[in-house]
């Protein structure tokens, strides 16, 4: 019960595949009370039954681009709970048509919208949550390696993740004196509603599993375990970090020998 008595706002639950849902369950199992808003009306029918399973509160519509809905959510949390101990930012959006092909073809409109929803929302959530974190707190965002290196088709979302990673460091610097820690988990790829919009996701998952040092893809249990650590006092001296939970993918500089051999054999056969 690492989170006994803690109150945590979990954003980004869309369905039972969502990483945020795995994290919400893990936090609840460890004694936390959960607030679990949803982004838009059509998600209520999926999110409400999940929220009921873990006794989550504040199951209200909250689109991060809608200031009135953000005011209402934080107003309700302040009135009913009076404080917060943690926030999970698990929010990303970009036009699916631009998550394939060239980054160079990104439109100004989609660039701005992607940044607003996927990055500025962390700043806004943090600024609103901080005054409720009377005894310190932990803010955790979900990011991806495509913000550190170019990954085919990830395009503007990769640029957004770079900005998210950087925001984590700046927010950690701003809020450290209030004992509020801000970190990101750089999760390995996994099939969800959001990731299914990235071109070539199925083949990326197949290749990724062959390429990581652990020779497998990350699971929802892996990511929720890391979030539990970051929300708990076990990580009390950790802030401003991007913690990779990716079966070691980001630590490698070249694919393993067995994969290289398969690839070279394929190339040789193609040449014949
Ligand atoms: P998901 O589709 O379950 O979650 C994305 C969430 O963003 C959804 O709940 C959606 O409702 C929410 N959202 C989108 N626009 C919003 C808005 N305007 N206001 C409020 N919420 C909004 O998919 P997921 O993969 O669990 O994504 C969660 C986070 O994890 C995202 O930041 C994503 O980039 C990140 N991530 C995903 C992967 C992956 O491979 N799936 C890997 C690393 C990081």
């Amino acid at each position: 019960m690492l989170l006994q008595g803690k109150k945590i706002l979990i954003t980004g639950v869309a369905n039972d595949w969502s990483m945020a849902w795995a994290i919400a369950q893990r936090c609840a199992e460890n004694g936390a009370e959960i607030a679990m808003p949803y982004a838009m009306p059509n998600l209520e029918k999926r999110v409400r039954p999940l929220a009921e399973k873990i006794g989550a509160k504040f199951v209200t519509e909250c689109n991060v681009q809608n200031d009135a809905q953000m005011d209402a959510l934080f107003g309700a949390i302040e009135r009913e709970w009076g404080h917060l101990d943690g926030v999970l930012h698990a929010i990303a959006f970009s036009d699916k048509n631009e998550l394939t092909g060239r980054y160079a073809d990104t439109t100004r409109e989609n660039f701005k919208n992607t940044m607003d929803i996927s990055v500025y929302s962390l700043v806004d959530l943090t600024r609103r949550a901080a005054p409720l974190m009377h005894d310190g707190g932990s803010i955790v965002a979900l990011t991806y390696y495509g913000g550190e290196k170019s990954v085919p088709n990830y395009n503007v979302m990769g640029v957004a993740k770079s900005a998210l990673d950087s925001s984590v460091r700046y927010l950690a610097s701003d809020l450290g004196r209030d004992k509020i820690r801000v970190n990101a988990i750089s999760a390995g790829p996994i099939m969800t509603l959001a990731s299914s919009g990235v071109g070539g996701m199925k083949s990326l998952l197949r290749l990724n599993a062959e390429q990581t040092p652990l020779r497998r893809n990350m699971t929802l249990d892996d990511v929720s375990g890391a979030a539990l650590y970051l929300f708990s006092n076990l990580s009390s001296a950790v802030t401003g970090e991007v913690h990779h939970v990716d079966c070691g993918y980001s630590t490698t500089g070249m694919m393993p020998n067995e994969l290289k051999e398969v690839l070279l054999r394929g190339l040789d056969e193609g040449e014949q």
Side-chain angles (χ1 to χ4, degrees), residues 206-226:
R206 271 187 68 192
L207 268 180
N208 194 77
E210 301 296 329
Q211 237 175 308
T212 68
L214 295 180
R215 300 291 194 279
R216 66 173 179 87
N217 283 326
M218 185 210 73
T219 65
L220 290 174
D221 265 359
D222 294 323
V223 74
S224 66

Side-chain angles (χ1 to χ4, degrees), residues 12-15 18-20 39-40 43 62-65 90-93 117 142-144 154 161 187-190 192-195 201:
V13 178
N15 55 36
S18 296
M19 287 202 269
M40 49 205 79
L43 292 179
C62 186
N63 181 330
V64 291
Q65 290 186 301
I91 295 170
F93 181 82
I117 297 179
L142 296 181
T143 187
Y144 176 59
Y154 204 56
K161 291 305 190 193
I190 191 165
T192 60
L193 189 63
S195 68
M201 186 63 190

